[in-house]
Amino acid sequence: MIKTVSPEEALIYVMVSTSAADRTMTDSELFKIGEEVQTLPVFSEFDAGRLIQVSRDCSELLAEGGVDRVLQVIRESLPKPLRETAYALAVEVAAADLQVEQDELQFLLMLRDELELDRLHVGAIEHSARVRYRKK
């Protein structure tokens, strides 16, 4: 049986896994994770004081079971309406330091496949991030 977590925890797992995908969790990415947890309505009932512990839990699961195991937990824990939200959060974290590494791109591909997201929706989410983070 696959472990499950709350939907909010699953969204945090998405963001932490995205940040850790290139083996470097930058300050910009960590700030973005904290900002999203503090401001988005989906986290309104989540105790932000638990963010560090949930992040550690995700890191431990990554170390023990690898990215495939984390993706399974995310899929099993997220209701379908939050799957696009999860992908949007992953894209935001990947873009936070204005440089998306190949490992992060690979994780995004794995995430969208695991969550069975529509390609048009994925493209719209990615385009929106490119527009928001464009320098000129």
Side-chain angles (χ1 to χ4, degrees), residues 82-134:
L82 288 180
R83 289 182 177 188
E84 289 175 348
T85 303
Y87 191 76
L89 289 173
V91 170
E92 285 295 316
V93 170
D97 54 9
L98 304 179
Q99 183 175 336
V100 181
E101 300 294 334
Q102 188 62 38
D103 291 333
E104 291 169 322
L105 291 172
Q106 182 63 34
F107 178 78
L108 290 173
L109 175 65
M110 293 169 68
L111 179 64
R112 72 181 184 216
D113 287 347
E114 187 72 30
L115 298 180
E116 300 173 333
L117 298 176
D118 180 274
R119 287 194 176 285
L120 290 176
H121 296 176
V122 165
I125 291 167
E126 292 170 352
H127 180 73
S128 176
R130 277 193 297 275
V131 169
R132 278 193 317 284
Y133 286 96
R134 187 174 291 151

Side-chain angles (χ1 to χ4, degrees), residues 62-93:
L62 276 168
E64 294 168 6
V67 70
D68 291 331
R69 175 87 170 147
V70 172
L71 287 170
Q72 289 174 340
V73 169
I74 291 167
R75 183 190 68 237
E76 293 299 318
S77 302
L78 280 178
K80 287 191 189 260
L82 288 180
R83 289 182 177 188
E84 289 175 348
T85 303
Y87 191 76
L89 289 173
V91 170
E92 285 295 316
V93 170

